[in-house]
Amino acid sequence: MSDALNLPAELRERAGKGASRALRREGRVPAVIYGGKEEPITIHLEEKEVVRQLMLGHFMNSIVMIDLGGDSVRTLPKDVAFHPVTDRPTHIDFLRLAKDAKIEVAIPVVFINEEESPGLKKGGVLNVVRHDLDLVCESDKIPDEIEIDVTGKEVGDSIHISEITLPAGSESAITDRDFTIATLVAPSALKKSEGEGEDEDGEEDGEEVAADEVEATAQKADGEEGEGGEG
């Protein structure tokens, strides 16, 4: 997993919407730390540092050490609220973690060895059903991502959670079914071109039938003219 992130924070002296708005005007982000059978702690953080860490891309799956005047609180971000217009962070919820705690997190999946998949080589497309896996992990063993090997996969194959070897300290949060993570399907462009070929064949057949009918009509007309001349 990624190294723990560090965020310096200060205690909030006042709670409420008015106090939170005042903090935001000063470039601070209100936040709360809860859980761990302790009372919630209301804090505020520097907005610029929060934005910088959000831009790392793995903030929500990282352990964040909140530094409160020299005391560190081990947490996991659970929710970040954003302003609907400016997209600035307006509030963060942190879950307090015990060292041996287990937590449910969404971990992104990445697919490897695509060049070793016969189906992909033939032009197949990897249809990803789940971009993240809901896992229950030990708090000090949260993986950054789950790698899924597609070596040997053919068009029509599916990849299920039962095929995946999860890292030590992690297990699937969904245990009542063997859910699908991805399937290997034929490209829609290939299906479309095959359909167009069938239509073309149909048009050609129609043209041949029409030509036969024209020829038969012409022969009949010639015969009628010949009979009329004889009379």
Side-chain angles (χ1 to χ4, degrees), residues 12-165:
R12 274 194 280 166
E13 296 180 359
R14 295 184 299 122
K17 292 183 179 179
S20 294
R21 282 195 293 267
L23 284 170
R24 294 184 190 108
R25 285 195 294 268
E26 297 171 3
R28 309 292 292 182
V29 180
V32 62
I33 302 172
Y34 67 93
K37 298 180 180 180
E38 296 182 36
E39 290 296 317
I41 303 174
T42 54
I43 60 174
H44 58 94
L45 315 156
E46 183 183 4
E47 182 182 341
K48 288 182 180 178
E49 181 61 17
V50 169
V51 171
R52 186 188 72 80
Q53 296 201 17
L54 285 169
M55 295 295 290
L56 296 175
H58 52 81
F59 182 76
M60 299 302 292
N61 291 330
S62 296
I63 300 297
V64 178
M65 303 300 295
I66 304 294
D67 183 4
L68 283 168
D71 293 330
S72 290
V73 183
R74 195 163 179 265
T75 72
L76 180 75
K78 293 301 290 183
D79 185 65
V80 181
F82 295 93
H83 191 280
V85 177
T86 64
D87 213 28
R88 293 170 57 186
T90 58
H91 192 275
I92 305 178
D93 291 346
F94 293 97
L95 175 65
R96 186 187 286 107
L97 296 177
K99 186 174 183 181
D100 57 350
K102 284 192 173 185
I103 49 177
E104 184 173 336
V105 288
I107 305 297
V109 298
V110 294
F111 297 89
I112 61 172
N113 295 328
E114 295 185 4
E115 68 280 0
E116 301 300 326
S117 164
L120 292 176
K121 282 185 176 181
K122 295 172 186 175
V125 176
L126 193 62
N127 176 41
V128 182
V129 179
R130 288 177 177 265
H131 293 273
D132 302 286
L133 297 182
D134 294 324
L135 303 180
V136 176
C137 305
E138 295 177 14
S139 62
D140 59 345
K141 296 179 181 178
I142 302 174
D144 290 332
E145 59 191 21
I146 300 297
E147 291 187 346
I148 298 179
D149 193 340
V150 297
T151 298
K153 294 296 182 182
E154 291 278 6
V155 171
D157 287 349
S158 296
I159 302 171
H160 297 88
I161 185 62
S162 59
E163 302 174 48
I164 309 305
T165 301

